[in-house]
PDB file of all heavy atoms in Angstrom:
ATOM      1  N   ASP Q 166       5.923  -0.349  24.768  1.00  0.00           N
ATOM      2  CA  ASP Q 166       6.652   0.203  23.647  1.00  0.00           C
ATOM      3  C   ASP Q 166       6.584  -0.706  22.427  1.00  0.00           C
ATOM      4  O   ASP Q 166       6.484  -0.221  21.275  1.00  0.00           O
ATOM      5  CB  ASP Q 166       8.112   0.462  24.024  1.00  0.00           C
ATOM      6  CG  ASP Q 166       8.247   1.605  25.039  1.00  0.00           C
ATOM      7  OD1 ASP Q 166       7.374   2.483  25.051  1.00  0.00           O
ATOM      8  OD2 ASP Q 166       9.216   1.609  25.809  1.00  0.00           O
ATOM      9  N   GLU Q 167       6.653  -2.007  22.642  1.00  0.00           N
ATOM     10  CA  GLU Q 167       6.546  -2.962  21.530  1.00  0.00           C
ATOM     11  C   GLU Q 167       5.181  -2.854  20.889  1.00  0.00           C
ATOM     12  O   GLU Q 167       5.053  -2.923  19.639  1.00  0.00           O
ATOM     13  CB  GLU Q 167       6.753  -4.380  22.053  1.00  0.00           C
ATOM     14  CG  GLU Q 167       8.171  -4.681  22.500  1.00  0.00           C
ATOM     15  CD  GLU Q 167       8.281  -6.046  23.175  1.00  0.00           C
ATOM     16  OE1 GLU Q 167       7.282  -6.512  23.768  1.00  0.00           O
ATOM     17  OE2 GLU Q 167       9.383  -6.642  23.155  1.00  0.00           O
ATOM     18  N   LEU Q 168       4.152  -2.679  21.680  1.00  0.00           N
ATOM     19  CA  LEU Q 168       2.804  -2.588  21.152  1.00  0.00           C
ATOM     20  C   LEU Q 168       2.629  -1.313  20.326  1.00  0.00           C
ATOM     21  O   LEU Q 168       1.996  -1.356  19.258  1.00  0.00           O
ATOM     22  CB  LEU Q 168       1.775  -2.649  22.299  1.00  0.00           C
ATOM     23  CG  LEU Q 168       0.307  -2.628  21.918  1.00  0.00           C
ATOM     24  CD1 LEU Q 168      -0.021  -3.756  20.954  1.00  0.00           C
ATOM     25  CD2 LEU Q 168      -0.574  -2.688  23.146  1.00  0.00           C
ATOM     26  N   ILE Q 169       3.167  -0.223  20.799  1.00  0.00           N
ATOM     27  CA  ILE Q 169       3.060   1.033  20.056  1.00  0.00           C
ATOM     28  C   ILE Q 169       3.699   0.874  18.670  1.00  0.00           C
ATOM     29  O   ILE Q 169       3.126   1.286  17.649  1.00  0.00           O
ATOM     30  CB  ILE Q 169       3.714   2.189  20.851  1.00  0.00           C
ATOM     31  CG1 ILE Q 169       2.870   2.528  22.081  1.00  0.00           C
ATOM     32  CG2 ILE Q 169       3.898   3.418  19.951  1.00  0.00           C
ATOM     33  CD1 ILE Q 169       3.522   3.506  23.021  1.00  0.00           C
ATOM     34  N   GLU Q 170       4.848   0.243  18.641  1.00  0.00           N
ATOM     35  CA  GLU Q 170       5.537   0.066  17.372  1.00  0.00           C
ATOM     36  C   GLU Q 170       4.742  -0.875  16.453  1.00  0.00           C
ATOM     37  O   GLU Q 170       4.587  -0.620  15.260  1.00  0.00           O
ATOM     38  CB  GLU Q 170       6.933  -0.530  17.606  1.00  0.00           C
ATOM     39  CG  GLU Q 170       7.749  -0.709  16.355  1.00  0.00           C
ATOM     40  CD  GLU Q 170       9.119  -1.250  16.618  1.00  0.00           C
ATOM     41  OE1 GLU Q 170       9.505  -1.368  17.801  1.00  0.00           O
ATOM     42  OE2 GLU Q 170       9.853  -1.564  15.617  1.00  0.00           O
ATOM     43  N   ALA Q 171       4.202  -1.956  17.028  1.00  0.00           N
ATOM     44  CA  ALA Q 171       3.477  -2.936  16.224  1.00  0.00           C
ATOM     45  C   ALA Q 171       2.170  -2.361  15.659  1.00  0.00           C
ATOM     46  O   ALA Q 171       1.673  -2.882  14.649  1.00  0.00           O
ATOM     47  CB  ALA Q 171       3.196  -4.186  17.037  1.00  0.00           C
ATOM     48  N   LEU Q 172       1.617  -1.382  16.300  1.00  0.00           N
ATOM     49  CA  LEU Q 172       0.326  -0.822  15.880  1.00  0.00           C
ATOM     50  C   LEU Q 172       0.420   0.208  14.755  1.00  0.00           C
ATOM     51  O   LEU Q 172      -0.590   0.758  14.350  1.00  0.00           O
ATOM     52  CB  LEU Q 172      -0.410  -0.201  17.084  1.00  0.00           C
ATOM     53  CG  LEU Q 172      -1.047  -1.166  18.064  1.00  0.00           C
ATOM     54  CD1 LEU Q 172      -1.587  -0.435  19.290  1.00  0.00           C
ATOM     55  CD2 LEU Q 172      -2.145  -1.979  17.405  1.00  0.00           C
ATOM     56  N   ASP Q 173       1.586   0.428  14.258  1.00  0.00           N
ATOM     57  CA  ASP Q 173       1.788   1.400  13.168  1.00  0.00           C
ATOM     58  C   ASP Q 173       0.980   0.908  11.946  1.00  0.00           C
ATOM     59  O   ASP Q 173       1.218  -0.183  11.417  1.00  0.00           O
ATOM     60  CB  ASP Q 173       3.256   1.517  12.804  1.00  0.00           C
ATOM     61  CG  ASP Q 173       3.500   2.573  11.736  1.00  0.00           C
ATOM     62  OD1 ASP Q 173       2.657   3.474  11.582  1.00  0.00           O
ATOM     63  OD2 ASP Q 173       4.558   2.511  11.085  1.00  0.00           O
ATOM     64  N   GLY Q 174       0.005   1.682  11.502  1.00  0.00           N
ATOM     65  CA  GLY Q 174      -0.790   1.349  10.347  1.00  0.00           C
ATOM     66  C   GLY Q 174      -1.895   0.336  10.619  1.00  0.00           C
ATOM     67  O   GLY Q 174      -2.526  -0.172   9.666  1.00  0.00           O
ATOM     68  N   VAL Q 175      -2.170   0.029  11.872  1.00  0.00           N
ATOM     69  CA  VAL Q 175      -3.155  -0.968  12.244  1.00  0.00           C
ATOM     70  C   VAL Q 175      -4.487  -0.277  12.589  1.00  0.00           C
ATOM     71  O   VAL Q 175      -4.504   0.734  13.315  1.00  0.00           O
ATOM     72  CB  VAL Q 175      -2.687  -1.823  13.437  1.00  0.00           C
ATOM     73  CG1 VAL Q 175      -3.814  -2.686  13.992  1.00  0.00           C
ATOM     74  CG2 VAL Q 175      -1.502  -2.696  13.007  1.00  0.00           C
ATOM     75  N   ASP Q 176      -5.584  -0.836  12.097  1.00  0.00           N
ATOM     76  CA  ASP Q 176      -6.921  -0.299  12.376  1.00  0.00           C
ATOM     77  C   ASP Q 176      -7.605  -0.955  13.551  1.00  0.00           C
ATOM     78  O   ASP Q 176      -8.311  -0.321  14.326  1.00  0.00           O
ATOM     79  CB  ASP Q 176      -7.819  -0.462  11.133  1.00  0.00           C
ATOM     80  CG  ASP Q 176      -7.244   0.178   9.902  1.00  0.00           C
ATOM     81  OD1 ASP Q 176      -7.387   1.418   9.790  1.00  0.00           O
ATOM     82  OD2 ASP Q 176      -6.647  -0.543   9.079  1.00  0.00           O
ATOM     83  N   TYR Q 177      -7.384  -2.285  13.694  1.00  0.00           N
ATOM     84  CA  TYR Q 177      -8.060  -3.049  14.748  1.00  0.00           C
ATOM     85  C   TYR Q 177      -7.032  -3.923  15.481  1.00  0.00           C
ATOM     86  O   TYR Q 177      -6.184  -4.559  14.874  1.00  0.00           O
ATOM     87  CB  TYR Q 177      -9.143  -3.928  14.132  1.00  0.00           C
ATOM     88  CG  TYR Q 177     -10.192  -3.131  13.397  1.00  0.00           C
ATOM     89  CD1 TYR Q 177     -10.251  -3.135  11.999  1.00  0.00           C
ATOM     90  CD2 TYR Q 177     -11.081  -2.329  14.086  1.00  0.00           C
ATOM     91  CE1 TYR Q 177     -11.173  -2.374  11.311  1.00  0.00           C
ATOM     92  CE2 TYR Q 177     -12.023  -1.544  13.426  1.00  0.00           C
ATOM     93  CZ  TYR Q 177     -12.052  -1.584  12.027  1.00  0.00           C
ATOM     94  OH  TYR Q 177     -12.979  -0.810  11.358  1.00  0.00           O
ATOM     95  N   LEU Q 178      -7.178  -3.950  16.813  1.00  0.00           N
ATOM     96  CA  LEU Q 178      -6.256  -4.734  17.658  1.00  0.00           C
ATOM     97  C   LEU Q 178      -7.056  -5.837  18.372  1.00  0.00           C
ATOM     98  O   LEU Q 178      -8.149  -5.592  18.909  1.00  0.00           O
ATOM     99  CB  LEU Q 178      -5.641  -3.820  18.735  1.00  0.00           C
ATOM    100  CG  LEU Q 178      -4.821  -4.516  19.846  1.00  0.00           C
ATOM    101  CD1 LEU Q 178      -3.615  -5.216  19.260  1.00  0.00           C
ATOM    102  CD2 LEU Q 178      -4.421  -3.487  20.903  1.00  0.00           C
ATOM    103  N   GLY Q 179      -6.523  -7.041  18.354  1.00  0.00           N
ATOM    104  CA  GLY Q 179      -7.079  -8.162  19.078  1.00  0.00           C
ATOM    105  C   GLY Q 179      -6.105  -8.681  20.112  1.00  0.00           C
ATOM    106  O   GLY Q 179      -4.943  -8.945  19.804  1.00  0.00           O
ATOM    107  N   ILE Q 180      -6.552  -8.817  21.363  1.00  0.00           N
ATOM    108  CA  ILE Q 180      -5.694  -9.287  22.452  1.00  0.00           C
ATOM    109  C   ILE Q 180      -6.433 -10.308  23.283  1.00  0.00           C
ATOM    110  O   ILE Q 180      -7.625 -10.544  23.096  1.00  0.00           O
ATOM    111  CB  ILE Q 180      -5.263  -8.114  23.366  1.00  0.00           C
ATOM    112  CG1 ILE Q 180      -6.525  -7.496  24.011  1.00  0.00           C
ATOM    113  CG2 ILE Q 180      -4.471  -7.063  22.591  1.00  0.00           C
ATOM    114  CD1 ILE Q 180      -6.228  -6.481  25.083  1.00  0.00           C
ATOM    115  N   ARG Q 181      -5.711 -10.907  24.213  1.00  0.00           N
ATOM    116  CA  ARG Q 181      -6.345 -11.732  25.230  1.00  0.00           C
ATOM    117  C   ARG Q 181      -6.054 -11.067  26.581  1.00  0.00           C
ATOM    118  O   ARG Q 181      -6.233  -9.872  26.708  1.00  0.00           O
ATOM    119  CB  ARG Q 181      -5.869 -13.176  25.120  1.00  0.00           C
ATOM    120  CG  ARG Q 181      -6.337 -13.821  23.791  1.00  0.00           C
ATOM    121  CD  ARG Q 181      -5.848 -15.252  23.623  1.00  0.00           C
ATOM    122  NE  ARG Q 181      -6.552 -16.177  24.502  1.00  0.00           N
ATOM    123  CZ  ARG Q 181      -6.258 -17.453  24.578  1.00  0.00           C
ATOM    124  NH1 ARG Q 181      -5.278 -17.961  23.834  1.00  0.00           N
ATOM    125  NH2 ARG Q 181      -6.911 -18.228  25.364  1.00  0.00           N
ATOM    126  N   SER Q 182      -5.623 -11.811  27.553  1.00  0.00           N
ATOM    127  CA  SER Q 182      -5.569 -11.257  28.921  1.00  0.00           C
ATOM    128  C   SER Q 182      -4.228 -10.654  29.339  1.00  0.00           C
ATOM    129  O   SER Q 182      -4.153  -9.938  30.321  1.00  0.00           O
ATOM    130  CB  SER Q 182      -5.951 -12.327  29.935  1.00  0.00           C
ATOM    131  OG  SER Q 182      -5.086 -13.441  29.827  1.00  0.00           O
ATOM    132  N   LYS Q 183      -3.164 -10.909  28.572  1.00  0.00           N
ATOM    133  CA  LYS Q 183      -1.821 -10.516  29.062  1.00  0.00           C
ATOM    134  C   LYS Q 183      -1.278  -9.247  28.443  1.00  0.00           C
ATOM    135  O   LYS Q 183      -0.230  -8.757  28.868  1.00  0.00           O
ATOM    136  CB  LYS Q 183      -0.849 -11.688  28.820  1.00  0.00           C
ATOM    137  CG  LYS Q 183      -1.137 -12.893  29.659  1.00  0.00           C
ATOM    138  CD  LYS Q 183      -0.082 -13.970  29.439  1.00  0.00           C
ATOM    139  CE  LYS Q 183      -0.321 -15.160  30.388  1.00  0.00           C
ATOM    140  NZ  LYS Q 183      -1.611 -15.831  30.151  1.00  0.00           N
ATOM    141  N   THR Q 184      -1.934  -8.703  27.458  1.00  0.00           N
ATOM    142  CA  THR Q 184      -1.478  -7.477  26.816  1.00  0.00           C
ATOM    143  C   THR Q 184      -2.199  -6.274  27.436  1.00  0.00           C
ATOM    144  O   THR Q 184      -3.427  -6.219  27.395  1.00  0.00           O
ATOM    145  CB  THR Q 184      -1.725  -7.504  25.303  1.00  0.00           C
ATOM    146  OG1 THR Q 184      -0.997  -8.588  24.731  1.00  0.00           O
ATOM    147  CG2 THR Q 184      -1.282  -6.207  24.655  1.00  0.00           C
ATOM    148  N   ASP Q 185      -1.441  -5.320  27.980  1.00  0.00           N
ATOM    149  CA  ASP Q 185      -2.045  -4.112  28.550  1.00  0.00           C
ATOM    150  C   ASP Q 185      -2.108  -3.007  27.491  1.00  0.00           C
ATOM    151  O   ASP Q 185      -1.084  -2.620  26.937  1.00  0.00           O
ATOM    152  CB  ASP Q 185      -1.214  -3.626  29.751  1.00  0.00           C
ATOM    153  CG  ASP Q 185      -1.333  -4.567  30.946  1.00  0.00           C
ATOM    154  OD1 ASP Q 185      -2.419  -5.143  31.126  1.00  0.00           O
ATOM    155  OD2 ASP Q 185      -0.342  -4.726  31.669  1.00  0.00           O
ATOM    156  N   VAL Q 186      -3.305  -2.534  27.245  1.00  0.00           N
ATOM    157  CA  VAL Q 186      -3.501  -1.445  26.318  1.00  0.00           C
ATOM    158  C   VAL Q 186      -3.702  -0.179  27.144  1.00  0.00           C
ATOM    159  O   VAL Q 186      -4.777   0.123  27.621  1.00  0.00           O
ATOM    160  CB  VAL Q 186      -4.689  -1.681  25.378  1.00  0.00           C
ATOM    161  CG1 VAL Q 186      -4.780  -0.566  24.333  1.00  0.00           C
ATOM    162  CG2 VAL Q 186      -4.589  -3.029  24.699  1.00  0.00           C
ATOM    163  N   THR Q 187      -2.613   0.567  27.313  1.00  0.00           N
ATOM    164  CA  THR Q 187      -2.578   1.697  28.246  1.00  0.00           C
ATOM    165  C   THR Q 187      -2.943   2.999  27.541  1.00  0.00           C
ATOM    166  O   THR Q 187      -3.021   3.077  26.316  1.00  0.00           O
ATOM    167  CB  THR Q 187      -1.187   1.837  28.857  1.00  0.00           C
ATOM    168  OG1 THR Q 187      -0.251   2.143  27.789  1.00  0.00           O
ATOM    169  CG2 THR Q 187      -0.727   0.555  29.517  1.00  0.00           C
ATOM    170  N   ALA Q 188      -3.089   4.056  28.343  1.00  0.00           N
ATOM    171  CA  ALA Q 188      -3.368   5.376  27.796  1.00  0.00           C
ATOM    172  C   ALA Q 188      -2.231   5.824  26.901  1.00  0.00           C
ATOM    173  O   ALA Q 188      -2.468   6.463  25.864  1.00  0.00           O
ATOM    174  CB  ALA Q 188      -3.579   6.376  28.938  1.00  0.00           C
ATOM    175  N   LYS Q 189      -1.017   5.468  27.238  1.00  0.00           N
ATOM    176  CA  LYS Q 189       0.140   5.835  26.421  1.00  0.00           C
ATOM    177  C   LYS Q 189       0.047   5.189  25.026  1.00  0.00           C
ATOM    178  O   LYS Q 189       0.334   5.827  24.014  1.00  0.00           O
ATOM    179  CB  LYS Q 189       1.451   5.404  27.113  1.00  0.00           C
ATOM    180  CG  LYS Q 189       2.707   5.718  26.309  1.00  0.00           C
ATOM    181  CD  LYS Q 189       3.955   5.213  27.067  1.00  0.00           C
ATOM    182  CE  LYS Q 189       5.219   5.426  26.197  1.00  0.00           C
ATOM    183  NZ  LYS Q 189       6.418   4.932  26.921  1.00  0.00           N
ATOM    184  N   VAL Q 190      -0.362   3.908  25.008  1.00  0.00           N
ATOM    185  CA  VAL Q 190      -0.530   3.210  23.716  1.00  0.00           C
ATOM    186  C   VAL Q 190      -1.605   3.892  22.882  1.00  0.00           C
ATOM    187  O   VAL Q 190      -1.417   4.160  21.687  1.00  0.00           O
ATOM    188  CB  VAL Q 190      -0.876   1.744  23.951  1.00  0.00           C
ATOM    189  CG1 VAL Q 190      -1.257   1.074  22.633  1.00  0.00           C
ATOM    190  CG2 VAL Q 190       0.297   1.006  24.599  1.00  0.00           C
ATOM    191  N   LEU Q 191      -2.735   4.194  23.491  1.00  0.00           N
ATOM    192  CA  LEU Q 191      -3.854   4.767  22.769  1.00  0.00           C
ATOM    193  C   LEU Q 191      -3.529   6.186  22.284  1.00  0.00           C
ATOM    194  O   LEU Q 191      -3.950   6.591  21.194  1.00  0.00           O
ATOM    195  CB  LEU Q 191      -5.093   4.780  23.664  1.00  0.00           C
ATOM    196  CG  LEU Q 191      -5.575   3.400  24.110  1.00  0.00           C
ATOM    197  CD1 LEU Q 191      -6.698   3.516  25.103  1.00  0.00           C
ATOM    198  CD2 LEU Q 191      -6.035   2.580  22.900  1.00  0.00           C
ATOM    199  N   GLU Q 192      -2.809   6.928  23.088  1.00  0.00           N
ATOM    200  CA  GLU Q 192      -2.393   8.259  22.676  1.00  0.00           C
ATOM    201  C   GLU Q 192      -1.442   8.221  21.489  1.00  0.00           C
ATOM    202  O   GLU Q 192      -1.495   9.045  20.570  1.00  0.00           O
ATOM    203  CB  GLU Q 192      -1.747   8.998  23.860  1.00  0.00           C
ATOM    204  CG  GLU Q 192      -1.308  10.422  23.525  1.00  0.00           C
ATOM    205  CD  GLU Q 192      -0.657  11.105  24.699  1.00  0.00           C
ATOM    206  OE1 GLU Q 192      -0.462  10.474  25.750  1.00  0.00           O
ATOM    207  OE2 GLU Q 192      -0.353  12.339  24.568  1.00  0.00           O
ATOM    208  N   ALA Q 193      -0.556   7.225  21.485  1.00  0.00           N
ATOM    209  CA  ALA Q 193       0.427   7.115  20.421  1.00  0.00           C
ATOM    210  C   ALA Q 193      -0.154   6.626  19.103  1.00  0.00           C
ATOM    211  O   ALA Q 193       0.411   6.881  18.049  1.00  0.00           O
ATOM    212  CB  ALA Q 193       1.540   6.150  20.875  1.00  0.00           C
ATOM    213  N   ARG Q 194      -1.282   5.908  19.159  1.00  0.00           N
ATOM    214  CA  ARG Q 194      -1.898   5.357  17.954  1.00  0.00           C
ATOM    215  C   ARG Q 194      -3.370   5.791  17.850  1.00  0.00           C
ATOM    216  O   ARG Q 194      -4.286   5.014  17.984  1.00  0.00           O
ATOM    217  CB  ARG Q 194      -1.786   3.842  17.949  1.00  0.00           C
ATOM    218  CG  ARG Q 194      -0.372   3.325  17.883  1.00  0.00           C
ATOM    219  CD  ARG Q 194       0.341   3.830  16.636  1.00  0.00           C
ATOM    220  NE  ARG Q 194       1.717   3.338  16.509  1.00  0.00           N
ATOM    221  CZ  ARG Q 194       2.614   3.895  15.715  1.00  0.00           C
ATOM    222  NH1 ARG Q 194       2.268   4.943  14.976  1.00  0.00           N
ATOM    223  NH2 ARG Q 194       3.833   3.407  15.640  1.00  0.00           N
ATOM    224  N   PRO Q 195      -3.611   7.089  17.580  1.00  0.00           N
ATOM    225  CA  PRO Q 195      -4.970   7.609  17.540  1.00  0.00           C
ATOM    226  C   PRO Q 195      -5.820   7.053  16.371  1.00  0.00           C
ATOM    227  O   PRO Q 195      -7.030   7.181  16.379  1.00  0.00           O
ATOM    228  CB  PRO Q 195      -4.763   9.133  17.397  1.00  0.00           C
ATOM    229  CG  PRO Q 195      -3.433   9.287  16.759  1.00  0.00           C
ATOM    230  CD  PRO Q 195      -2.608   8.154  17.317  1.00  0.00           C
ATOM    231  N   ALA Q 196      -5.175   6.441  15.397  1.00  0.00           N
ATOM    232  CA  ALA Q 196      -5.918   5.904  14.251  1.00  0.00           C
ATOM    233  C   ALA Q 196      -6.603   4.566  14.565  1.00  0.00           C
ATOM    234  O   ALA Q 196      -7.438   4.085  13.793  1.00  0.00           O
ATOM    235  CB  ALA Q 196      -4.995   5.726  13.062  1.00  0.00           C
ATOM    236  N   LEU Q 197      -6.281   3.989  15.706  1.00  0.00           N
ATOM    237  CA  LEU Q 197      -6.890   2.707  16.094  1.00  0.00           C
ATOM    238  C   LEU Q 197      -8.400   2.916  16.262  1.00  0.00           C
ATOM    239  O   LEU Q 197      -8.853   3.840  16.912  1.00  0.00           O
ATOM    240  CB  LEU Q 197      -6.284   2.256  17.440  1.00  0.00           C
ATOM    241  CG  LEU Q 197      -6.584   0.791  17.864  1.00  0.00           C
ATOM    242  CD1 LEU Q 197      -6.012  -0.205  16.877  1.00  0.00           C
ATOM    243  CD2 LEU Q 197      -6.041   0.558  19.277  1.00  0.00           C
ATOM    244  N   LYS Q 198      -9.187   2.000  15.666  1.00  0.00           N
ATOM    245  CA  LYS Q 198     -10.637   2.167  15.625  1.00  0.00           C
ATOM    246  C   LYS Q 198     -11.371   1.314  16.652  1.00  0.00           C
ATOM    247  O   LYS Q 198     -12.413   1.701  17.185  1.00  0.00           O
ATOM    248  CB  LYS Q 198     -11.157   1.850  14.241  1.00  0.00           C
ATOM    249  CG  LYS Q 198     -10.618   2.775  13.134  1.00  0.00           C
ATOM    250  CD  LYS Q 198     -11.073   2.316  11.769  1.00  0.00           C
ATOM    251  CE  LYS Q 198     -10.481   3.183  10.667  1.00  0.00           C
ATOM    252  NZ  LYS Q 198     -10.830   2.677   9.329  1.00  0.00           N
ATOM    253  N   ALA Q 199     -10.863   0.112  16.896  1.00  0.00           N
ATOM    254  CA  ALA Q 199     -11.560  -0.794  17.824  1.00  0.00           C
ATOM    255  C   ALA Q 199     -10.552  -1.791  18.372  1.00  0.00           C
ATOM    256  O   ALA Q 199      -9.528  -2.093  17.751  1.00  0.00           O
ATOM    257  CB  ALA Q 199     -12.694  -1.524  17.143  1.00  0.00           C
TER     258      ALA Q 199
END
């Protein structure tokens, strides 16, 4: 839920090993490009 909120208006996401980018996150932020 924190990630979904933080991705508002974001085009590109950078993570390391501890952040899970789930289907729910991707569905909530369809504008994410990479």
Side-chain angles (χ1 to χ4, degrees):
D166 291 333
E167 291 172 333
L168 183 56
I169 290 172
E170 182 178 354
L172 284 174
D173 185 21
V175 170
D176 302 281
Y177 301 107
L178 171 64
I180 61 171
R181 294 178 73 183
S182 59
K183 293 183 176 62
T184 299
D185 291 325
V186 185
T187 64
K189 178 181 176 181
V190 171
L191 298 173
E192 181 181 4
R194 295 302 180 197
L197 192 64
K198 298 174 183 176

